Amino acid sequence: EVQLVESGGGLVQPGGSLRLSCAASGFTFSSYAMSWVRQAPGKGLEWVSTISGSGGSTYYADSVKGRFTFSRDNSKNTLYLQMNSLRAEDTAVYYCAKLGTWFGELSALDYWGQGTLVTVSS
Amino acid sequence: DIVMTQTPLSLSVTPGQPASISCKSSQSLLHSDGKTYLYWYLQKPGQSPQLLIYEVSNRFSGVPDRFSGSGSGTDFTLKISRVEAEDVGVYYCMQSIQLPLALTFGGGTKVEIK
């Protein structure tokens, strides 16, 4: 059974940093690209970033480019999202999700974690 | 970026009746490989999104056959043949054809039971 468990969310001040983690199990982790998708309170879904199976390729939404860094440790089956220079508009539930291909392109987000809440406020 | 537009914003359906949701993309989602990269998700209240339909019309594992997807190019439809109470939530369409990789979602359609 595919399981994705996010952690690391919390309250942070504007301009601050936070690192999210996502622990994966139930599939061959290094064979699949992974993504982060966020959902602001009461709003829709917004893609944040995708990383290839090897970690060699990363893609970011314009809204987070230059502030967020997505990485993975295939030896630990874990993803990391380093979020710097946080803004109020980054407040959201952050979901990690598995893609159906190694590279990530032309693929569905087929399994999702339960999400972790990030609140950016003073 | 490819813009995904869903209609209606909300839908109130009597149990056992059909429901239909439309999704339009700003660019064709038909790839040169012949596949069309359009997906449908359901986010039930208090839960994370779950994949219902991939590549326009293929039901994901465990999805009941009352859900069906259709369409081509830029116009797509999700149909529920007979709505059940467990189908309430927000439905989203998503595209994955854009390169460099950038996924975009529709704004969502909230389905409620009358």
Side-chain angles (χ1 to χ4, degrees), chain B residues 21-59:
Chain B
I21 300 169
S22 171
C23 175
K24 296 183 188 297
S25 58
S26 60
Q27 300 175 34
S28 175
L29 304 184
L30 174 63
H31 193 267
S32 57
D33 65 7
K35 296 180 180 179
T36 300
Y37 292 95
L38 183 282
Y39 311 89
W40 289 98
Y41 293 86
L42 165 60
Q43 187 174 30
K44 296 182 178 181
Q47 296 186 18
S48 54
Q50 58 189 85
L51 177 63
L52 293 177
I53 301 285
Y54 64 96
E55 294 166 15
V56 179
S57 60
N58 300 286
R59 280 187 299 276

Side-chain angles (χ1 to χ4, degrees), chain A residues 11-65:
Chain A
L11 175 63
V12 60
Q13 292 188 338
S17 298
L18 208 57
R19 188 177 84 157
L20 305 184
S21 299
C22 174
S25 61
F27 63 101
T28 305
F29 183 67
S30 61
S31 293
Y32 295 95
M34 302 292 294
S35 287
W36 289 95
V37 176
R38 68 185 181 183
Q39 186 170 37
K43 301 297 184 181
L45 301 171
E46 179 189 16
W47 170 76
V48 173
S49 183
T50 293
I51 191 167
S52 63
S54 67
S57 296
T58 50
Y59 308 87
Y60 298 95
D62 288 343
S63 57
V64 307
K65 202 172 294 183

Side-chain angles (χ1 to χ4, degrees), chain B residues 7 26 40 47 63 84 88 92 102 104 107-108 113:
Chain B
T7 54
S26 60
W40 289 98
Q47 296 186 18
V63 175
E84 297 187 4
V88 299
Y92 296 94
T104 49
I113 296 293

